[in-house]
Amino acid sequence: MTEESRKKKVSLKVILICPYVALVICLAVAIGLLSYRTGTHAVKTVSEHLLQETVSRISQAVDRHVVGSVVALKTAFPEGLAAPTSIESDFDNILTRLWIATSLHADPNNYVYYGNVAGQAIGLYRHSDQLGELRVKYRAEDHRKRFQIAGLGGVPQFQSVEEKLFDPRVRPWFQVATTTQKDIWTSVYIDFGTLELVSTRARRVLGADGSLAGVVATDMSLRSLNEFVGSLNISPNGLAFIIEPNGDLIASSVSANIRTLEDGQRVRINAADSGHPLLNRIYQQLQLELSEGTDNLSVKTFFFVDDKGERINVAFDLFEDNAGLKWINVVALPDRDFMGGISQNLMLTVMLAVLATIIVVLIGLRILAWVTTDLNTLSVAVDKVGSGFVEEPITIRRNDEIGMLAKSFQAMQYRLQTDHLTGLPNRYAFEQMLNAAIEKAKANPESGKFAVFFVDINDFKLVNDCYGHDAGDQALIELALRLRTHVRQEDFVARYAGDEFVVLLAGVESRSDLIPVRKNLEVALAQPLISLEKTISIVSGAIGEAYFPEDGETSKDLLVCADKRMYCHKDEIKRQRKMDLSPECNTKEAVRP
């Protein structure tokens, strides 16, 4: 073989091998890019839900703080209760109510106090379940005396007299409460004793003649709220914070909310001066988002690119109550916290493809089908979720990043279709199940008829009013379990809204078959609640039914029919009782310490 022939032979190998290798590498790169693009789309959708869910959790935590202040004031001085002209004349009753008020939500409302227009004052600060500090003065010119009190009904033991004269009438909480007939919050301030952020909720109290008699107030410490925000495990570089509209920090997971100056004075920190670069930049972008105002603001998301070229995803929400409290909850998540795995997967795919060209050639087509099928399935499911079809099934069974993503997606689907309190399917899931049952019955009339029960818990408001919302939640969980355990396995029970439940009964041959089922549920719901510390029996259930197809051939018609019959049943229960459905409860006895 001549030298020229050898050159031609080598050249031919190169011509045959190089395009083939290049094709395999290009194919591997294409797979990696497809994986990256589809995975990015899916992960960003899931991350957006994560941001919104975290913001909602913060709003719920704020609400739990605020609701304790509302209950504390109503307990200390119930609406309609005329204040005495002198604290001394009604001392025992006031002390009893203050003890109960500080027992309801000890964290953060362990200090409730009252001052009147005569300059008298009384307050109770709870150190523990059985130990409190009573602060009282009967004359405007007197200094407050401090007593230790052990338990409700305990005899106050004198401790000391305050050196500084305390006049409630000149305090900000007293003055601001006299300007409105509703509850009102003072500005957030630094408490001189605890050196932590505090806000005070106050309400004017009228005398027997309808004139201003005094002001009742309670302090809400923001320490536990700040600790809650700091404990949120969002992501390695994610952060969360709460601010007032002017930017002053209420709580933050990455910075303090109070700064000590050189002269020892402690001042609040504004988000623009937090010292945390990412928090500062997020606040700058947030101001642009809020430039149009905060009225009717709901959970909103946006993103921006920071100075390093990284995308920062942000979600925020406005918490506002009827007493003037207005805070903005913010959660942020950098792209690198949830895109790192996908980027690494892309690089690994390309490198392995280059180093194992022969293996890729042999199994490439199979890998391509294996990977793209699941990715396309996941992408279609994500798109459908974005369009509102949260029930789109996912059948991916993998143990890699895509499998983990699919499991996260399935968990998200479950949360979107499940009532977080009772664990039952929610309203959306029920409506989807009902529509599916209607379509199945229309397509195959021989498949069996079905019925819908609409269940409303009578007098449930009494549980919340008498025992608190936490007790109401436990009662709902117990009632949901009763409904689920008193119907067949194939029947579908869901929480519709508030204290309303719905049941889809499958395979009901005639309307008369509903009678024993309904009676069984009525008996189950009428049993005394055992979820509280003591058994109570102030609730029952009103049930309305709708039978398909006699009562309607659409989900709307069936639900409307069942709802109307439920209200008829409620009226019937009311007539049988021959009493008002909303009797008064003894708050003092019902509240648990």
Side-chain angles (χ1 to χ4, degrees):
M1 183 180 293
T2 64
E3 185 68 22
E4 183 178 357
S5 299
R6 284 197 296 271
K7 288 182 179 180
K8 287 182 179 180
K9 184 176 181 181
V10 172
S11 177
L12 183 59
K13 288 181 179 180
V14 172
I15 293 174
L16 292 176
I17 294 174
C18 286
Y20 188 72
V21 172
L23 177 62
V24 173
I25 293 175
C26 291
L27 181 61
V29 171
I31 295 174
L33 292 176
L34 176 62
S35 172
Y36 184 81
R37 182 171 177 270
T38 308
T40 298
H41 175 64
V43 170
K44 286 182 177 179
T45 300
V46 175
S47 67
E48 183 174 352
H49 283 285
L50 172 63
L51 287 172
Q52 294 175 347
E53 182 180 345
T54 305
V55 166
S56 298
R57 286 180 59 195
I58 295 176
S59 295
Q60 291 171 2
V62 174
D63 182 67
R64 286 196 296 270
H65 269 64
V66 172
V67 73
S69 302
V70 178
V71 176
L73 294 188
K74 287 185 177 181
T75 303
F77 274 90
E79 296 181 5
L81 177 66
T85 56
S86 170
I87 292 176
E88 187 174 8
S89 65
D90 198 29
F91 174 80
D92 291 339
N93 290 331
I94 295 177
L95 178 58
T96 297
R97 295 199 301 270
L98 291 180
W99 185 274
I100 296 173
T102 54
S103 301
L104 299 176
H105 296 273
D107 185 11
N109 303 111
N110 64 333
Y111 184 33
V112 182
Y113 45 94
Y114 169 73
N116 62 19
V117 294
Q120 297 178 325
I122 183 173
L124 182 64
Y125 186 93
R126 292 289 292 279
H127 295 288
S128 64
D129 290 343
Q130 296 298 326
L131 187 62
E133 180 181 282
L134 178 65
R135 305 168 184 177
V136 63
K137 58 179 288 185
Y138 295 135
R139 296 187 302 175
E141 62 272 19
D142 290 344
H143 289 247
R144 281 196 308 185
K145 296 180 180 179
R146 298 195 175 196
F147 299 83
Q148 180 175 300
I149 181 171
L152 181 61
V155 178
Q157 302 294 324
F158 175 77
Q159 285 187 313
S160 62
V161 178
E162 295 180 351
E163 295 183 2
K164 187 176 181 180
L165 180 64
F166 174 81
D167 189 341
R169 297 170 295 184
V170 301
R171 304 300 296 174
W173 54 269
F174 191 99
Q175 295 179 348
V176 72
T178 60
T179 63
T180 177
Q181 297 181 356
K182 303 187 301 181
D183 288 14
I184 189 169
W185 288 98
T186 65
S187 300
V188 177
Y189 59 93
I190 301 175
D191 183 75
F192 72 91
T194 63
L195 301 180
E196 296 173 345
L197 291 184
V198 173
S199 185
T200 299
R201 187 184 183 106
R203 173 168 58 84
R204 65 190 302 183
V205 180
L206 303 180
D209 59 355
S211 62
L212 175 66
V215 173
V216 61
T218 181
D219 291 345
M220 180 178 72
S221 171
L222 304 182
R223 174 181 53 82
S224 58
L225 186 60
N226 190 44
E227 292 175 351
F228 169 77
V229 173
S231 67
L232 289 174
N233 187 17
I234 305 171
S235 69
N237 299 286
L239 58 88
F241 59 92
I242 304 174
I243 58 173
E244 294 186 273
N246 65 356
D248 286 344
L249 284 169
I250 298 295
S252 171
S253 64
V254 293
S255 68
N257 52 16
I258 298 175
R259 177 185 295 119
T260 303
L261 302 180
E262 294 181 357
D263 60 1
Q265 181 182 1
R266 296 174 68 87
V267 296
R268 297 186 61 189
I269 297 178
N270 191 275
D273 304 318
S274 67
H276 192 279
L278 181 57
L279 192 154
N280 296 350
R281 186 63 189 278
I282 292 171
Y283 178 62
Q284 293 176 4
Q285 296 295 324
L286 185 64
Q287 286 180 302
L288 299 177
E289 296 291 329
L290 297 174
S291 59
E292 298 181 359
T294 58
D295 293 338
N296 300 319
L297 178 66
S298 57
V299 178
K300 186 178 180 181
T301 60
F302 68 92
F303 73 90
F304 67 93
V305 179
D306 64 8
D307 298 334
K308 298 180 181 179
E310 182 178 15
R311 171 175 164 140
I312 308 297
N313 305 277
V314 183
F316 64 96
D317 183 23
L318 173 70
F319 181 89
E320 187 173 12
D321 72 352
N322 58 4
L325 190 67
K326 196 173 187 179
W327 293 347
I328 301 171
N329 309 321
V330 186
V331 178
L333 191 66
D335 252 8
R336 67 177 181 272
D337 284 356
F338 57 89
M339 291 299 295
I342 294 180
S343 299
Q344 294 175 4
N345 188 45
L346 172 64
M347 295 301 299
L348 181 61
T349 302
V350 174
M351 292 176 60
L352 290 177
V354 173
L355 296 176
T357 301
I358 297 177
I359 298 176
V360 171
V361 169
L362 297 176
I363 63 175
L365 293 177
R366 184 172 181 83
I367 291 177
L368 179 63
W370 179 59
V371 173
T372 57
T373 299
D374 287 345
L375 289 176
N376 287 333
T377 300
L378 185 58
S379 179
V380 170
V382 170
D383 288 337
K384 289 191 175 183
V385 168
S387 302
F389 298 95
V390 300
E391 74 282 1
E392 180 65 19
I394 297 294
T395 58
I396 298 175
R397 298 292 183 269
R398 302 170 62 132
N399 295 321
D400 57 3
E401 290 83 356
I402 298 175
M404 294 173 62
L405 184 61
K407 292 177 181 178
S408 299
F409 184 83
Q410 289 173 319
M412 180 194 70
Q413 288 179 301
Y414 176 79
R415 289 196 300 270
L416 293 176
Q417 298 182 74
T418 304
D419 175 56
H420 73 281
L421 176 63
T422 63
L424 293 177
N426 59 18
R427 177 174 179 172
Y428 176 84
F430 179 80
E431 290 175 347
Q432 296 300 313
M433 180 65 70
L434 179 57
N435 288 328
I438 293 174
E439 293 299 323
K440 179 180 178 181
K442 288 182 177 180
N444 184 15
E446 300 300 325
S447 63
K449 299 179 181 180
F450 64 91
V452 173
F453 276 170
F454 201 111
V455 183
D456 181 87
I457 306 304
N458 296 322
D459 301 335
F460 185 76
K461 184 175 182 297
L462 292 177
V463 177
N464 287 329
D465 291 346
C466 297
Y467 298 91
H469 288 279
D470 289 339
D473 289 346
Q474 293 302 316
L476 284 175
I477 294 172
E478 180 180 345
L479 293 170
L481 180 61
R482 293 185 189 180
L483 287 173
R484 179 63 270 178
T485 56
H486 283 78
V487 294
R488 299 167 301 175
Q489 186 68 30
E490 61 268 24
D491 295 331
F492 192 80
V493 182
R495 184 183 180 190
Y496 196 74
D499 58 349
E500 296 176 341
F501 298 87
V502 282
V503 183
L504 179 61
L505 301 167
V508 181
E509 295 300 327
S510 66
R511 189 185 296 274
S512 60
D513 293 339
L514 298 176
I515 297 176
V517 180
R518 175 174 174 170
K519 288 184 177 179
N520 185 32
L521 291 180
E522 289 175 349
V523 171
L525 294 176
Q527 297 301 313
L529 294 172
I530 60 174
S531 57
L532 306 181
E533 289 186 356
K534 59 180 182 179
T535 303
I536 63 171
S537 56
I538 61 174
V539 299
S540 61
I543 303 176
E545 80 277 358
Y547 189 64
F548 180 89
E550 284 82 352
D551 294 329
E553 296 186 359
T554 67
S555 60
K556 179 180 180 181
D557 292 339
L558 291 171
L559 289 172
V560 168
C561 179
D563 187 41
K564 289 182 178 179
R565 289 175 176 167
M566 180 273 293
Y567 275 104
C568 291
H569 187 201
K570 184 182 286 289
D571 291 339
E572 179 183 347
I573 293 174
K574 181 178 179 181
R575 289 192 298 270
Q576 291 175 353
R577 290 179 175 177
K578 295 182 180 179
M579 62 180 289
D580 184 20
L581 285 176
S582 302
E584 294 182 354
C585 65
N586 190 325
T587 305
K588 178 177 178 181
E589 294 181 359
V591 174
R592 292 178 294 143

